[in-house]
Amino acid sequence: MKIRFACVLSVLLFVGCGAVDAMKEGFQHSQDVATDMEKAVGMKPFVGFNWVNGSLANVTITFEGIPKGASSQEIAAVARSVVTARFKEAPDQIVISYTLPGKDS
C-alpha cells in the first residue's frame, strides 16, 4: 500500500513540474508581449493569459489609459501579430481593454 501511495505521489509531482514550467514560460511570453506592445504603441500594458488543456485559450491586454497615436484597429493588428509570435500559437481570443480613472484627475 505504501509503495502505491509513493508511486502516485511521484507521478503527481512529475506532472506538477510540467505545469510549473508551462506557467514560467507563459509568464515570460506575457512579459515579452508587453515589451513589444510598448515599443509599438508607446504604452506598456498588463498581459494575462489562460491555457486550457494545453491550448492557449485567452490573452488579455490591458492598458492604463488609451494609447495616443494608435487606432484600435492598429493596436489589434499589432496585438494579434505579437501574441501569435511570442506564444508560438494563436489564442482562441485576444481581449484588449483600457482602464480609465473614475474621476477626472
Side-chain angles (χ1 to χ4, degrees):
M1 184 66 174
K2 289 183 183 182
I3 293 175
R4 285 185 191 171
F5 179 75
C7 289
V8 169
L9 183 60
S10 296
V11 169
L12 290 175
L13 289 174
F14 286 124
V15 170
C17 290
V20 169
D21 289 341
M23 287 302 293
K24 285 181 184 177
E25 286 181 22
F27 181 72
Q28 183 59 49
H29 295 323
S30 72
Q31 294 300 311
D32 294 341
V33 168
T35 300
D36 291 350
M37 291 297 296
E38 181 179 25
K39 289 177 185 173
V41 300
M43 184 180 282
K44 188 170 186 171
F46 170 78
V47 179
F49 59 94
N50 184 20
W51 294 90
V52 176
N53 294 329
S55 177
L56 187 59
N58 183 328
V59 175
T60 303
I61 300 172
T62 305
F63 291 95
E64 289 186 23
I66 300 171
K68 304 257 189 262
S71 70
S72 293
Q73 290 82 10
E74 292 168 337
I75 293 170
V78 169
R80 183 174 286 117
S81 173
V82 168
V83 166
T84 301
R86 291 300 186 167
F87 281 93
K88 297 178 180 61
E89 71 176 276
D92 294 336
Q93 66 180 3
I94 299 173
V95 177
I96 301 171
S97 62
Y98 312 102
T99 60
L100 305 174
K103 295 181 180 181
D104 292 332
S105 359

